[in-house]
Amino acid sequence: MTTTTDTVRVSERLDALPFTRRHGKILTGSGLGWALDAMDVGLISFVIAALAVQWQLAPTQASWIASAGFAGMAIGASLGGLLADRFGRRQVFALTLLVYGVATGASALVGGLGALLVLRFVVGLGLGAELPVASTYVSEFAPARIRGRLIVFLEAFWAVGWTAAALIGYFVVPASADGWRWAFALGAIPAVYALIVRWGLPESPRWLASRGRNSEAVAIVRDLEAAAGRISLEPSSEGVAASAPAPRARVGALWSRSLRARTASLWVLWFCVNFSYYGAFIWIPTILVAQGYDLVRSFGFTLIITLAQLPGYAVAAWLIEAWGRRATLATFLAGSAVAAVLFGTASGEVSLIATGMMLSFFNLGAWGALYAATPETYPTALRATGAGWAAGVGRIASILAPLAVPPLLALGGAPVLFIVFAAFFAVAVVAALFLREQRGRTLA
């Protein structure tokens, strides 16, 4: 069988390439999908704040709107990774965009809470599957020396989407009683974009080679080499098609002797970061409203806080190749813990905005580092499965976090709530120290 040798050779040729326009197209094409995902997740925080007033929802009912989507994301992330390792990255990437785009658009037509919860669950199925598949996809094209940086740049598209959500939340949602419906209608854009992704981007050559489809993999590599001004005369041979392990076998392999420590660290990281991030950022507009600010002002504060994500990603993108994955991730998580305590105890507009921007800066920088570290932890045959299951475990926390916010607020208000979030960030710092450092290493 020649599959292993072919995979190594394809990886070496990909790692030897400079960054080209073709890499830029792959990064941008995937990143725009990522931004649309962020827009959808971000919009729900503004919609919840509006519907809580318009539909007179109790805090528990409002929290279920967020948690229904995250329940779908937990299942979608786990299934998406398995499907991407079986059928390819590009196919699953396009399908997931289509699923959640259509369901988001349909959410604009609902007349009650029950229908909205069902559609938010379907949205979550697509959204949960897309993110780990997209990061796996881009990491498999990226040259080793800049792989971490490119994944942070990919994750930075999240800030673009969240900023778009904040703008829609500020200008569209409060504009009329149907403002939240128009916000959901804008979320249908990914359904159209899915068709562009399906036909416009190549399949991962590393995945193709791992499945014995070496001639297809080499053709894509040659296209990238030509874009870099390199002509390869290396002959290609069709490898022996590798049979895909059963889904249960792939999940079990994540806990093999050689991978169990990495998997445990990643699962703890994803759980803790998801709990704190979604607990905080989904509820920030609602918390501000509860503190006496009207919808427009609370949405305006959230927009300003969101803008701090972009410099957070920029710093993380530089540090991840200068310091490495573990140091960068641990540093940004520690900063997130400190920022959470400061935000929870802040009073006054200036203090709220400043500490909120600090939380946004460190938290989203940590997300960039986490997404960079996750797919490169596993070999190609398990990469999407490993990334998907880590994300799926994290989504369990994102289901629990919105439900935990109302009782924690009742217990001790924002100070207690954000101290709890800080504690989760602190646990994540410890877990980050047990990751395997992959800076500059060729993907297996």
Side-chain angles (χ1 to χ4, degrees):
M1 181 175 293
T2 60
T3 302
T4 300
T5 301
D6 292 336
T7 302
V8 171
R9 188 64 189 129
V10 164
S11 295
E12 290 174 347
R13 290 171 67 177
L14 287 169
D15 286 341
L17 288 169
F19 185 82
T20 67
R21 287 186 178 181
R22 295 299 174 88
H23 289 101
K25 180 180 178 181
I26 291 165
L27 176 63
T28 303
S30 302
L32 289 174
W34 202 286
L36 291 168
D37 287 355
M39 186 177 76
D40 181 271
V41 177
L43 279 176
I44 200 63
S45 66
F46 298 98
V47 170
I48 286 174
L51 289 182
V53 176
Q54 188 177 133
W55 287 359
Q56 297 182 334
L57 300 178
T60 301
Q61 291 176 306
S63 67
W64 273 110
I65 297 175
S67 291
F70 293 133
M73 290 173 75
I75 297 172
S78 303
L79 292 178
L82 289 167
L83 292 173
D85 278 338
R86 175 64 179 85
F87 298 106
R89 296 14 176 160
R90 184 183 66 169
Q91 306 277 41
V92 177
F93 182 37
L95 177 62
T96 57
L97 284 167
L98 184 63
V99 168
Y100 95 81
V102 171
T104 298
S107 299
L109 305 176
V110 299
L113 182 60
L116 181 59
L117 292 179
V118 171
L119 284 170
R120 291 309 301 170
F121 178 81
V122 177
V123 167
L125 288 176
L127 178 59
E130 192 275 331
L131 295 178
V133 173
S135 61
T136 296
Y137 177 76
V138 174
S139 71
E140 290 182 344
F141 278 96
R145 66 189 175 280
I146 57 171
R147 185 173 60 242
R149 187 163 295 160
L150 289 186
I151 299 303
V152 177
F153 286 152
L154 172 67
E155 167 67 4
F157 278 88
W158 186 270
V160 176
W162 201 279
T163 301
L167 289 170
I168 294 170
Y170 184 74
F171 290 107
V172 177
V173 175
S176 69
D178 289 329
W180 63 272
R181 295 185 186 275
W182 286 108
F184 276 141
L186 290 172
I189 293 173
V192 177
Y193 180 71
L195 300 178
I196 300 173
V197 171
R198 171 63 180 83
W199 298 111
L201 297 178
E203 182 54 86
S204 164
R206 296 183 202 261
W207 178 81
L208 289 169
S210 75
R211 299 302 305 277
R213 295 162 62 178
N214 196 51
S215 62
E216 295 175 67
V218 169
I220 295 170
V221 173
R222 283 178 174 167
D223 187 53
L224 290 168
E225 289 172 335
R230 300 180 181 181
I231 304 299
S232 174
L233 300 178
E234 180 177 324
S236 63
S237 60
E238 190 66 41
V240 179
S243 59
R248 182 177 297 179
R250 289 203 296 276
V251 176
L254 302 180
W255 291 96
S256 63
R257 184 184 298 271
S258 61
L259 295 176
R260 65 181 59 158
R262 307 180 203 179
T263 298
S265 296
L266 281 175
W267 285 20
V268 170
L269 274 163
W270 276 86
F271 188 92
C272 291
V273 175
N274 269 275
F275 187 91
S276 295
Y277 174 77
Y278 286 107
F281 282 88
I282 289 295
W283 277 90
I284 280 178
T286 303
I287 290 172
L288 291 173
V289 169
Q291 291 185 0
Y293 298 103
D294 61 31
L295 276 179
V296 175
R297 291 189 75 191
S298 67
F299 288 0
F301 291 167
T302 304
L303 173 59
I304 296 171
I305 289 170
T306 299
L307 293 175
Q309 296 180 10
L310 290 170
Y313 284 127
V315 174
W318 178 72
L319 289 178
I320 202 162
E321 299 297 357
W323 287 2
R325 282 56 163 151
R326 282 183 303 195
T328 302
L329 181 55
T331 299
F332 275 85
L333 288 169
S336 298
V338 173
V341 174
L342 294 176
F343 182 79
T345 55
S347 60
E349 294 182 9
V350 174
S351 181
L352 278 170
I353 292 174
T355 56
M357 292 179 71
M358 181 180 174
L359 180 61
S360 190
F361 174 92
F362 281 109
N363 199 182
L364 275 297
W367 270 117
L370 182 57
Y371 267 106
T374 299
E376 63 185 21
T377 296
Y378 297 102
T380 299
L382 295 173
R383 185 163 296 121
T385 298
W389 273 77
V393 169
R395 299 310 175 191
I396 296 173
S398 64
I399 298 169
L400 299 175
L403 300 176
V405 169
L408 286 172
L409 285 173
L411 178 66
V416 168
L417 176 66
F418 281 87
I419 286 172
V420 170
F421 293 152
F424 275 86
F425 281 131
V427 172
V429 171
V430 177
L433 300 177
F434 288 91
L435 290 179
R436 183 183 181 189
E437 182 57 61
Q438 290 288 97
R439 179 177 54 163
R441 296 183 180 180
T442 297
L443 292 177

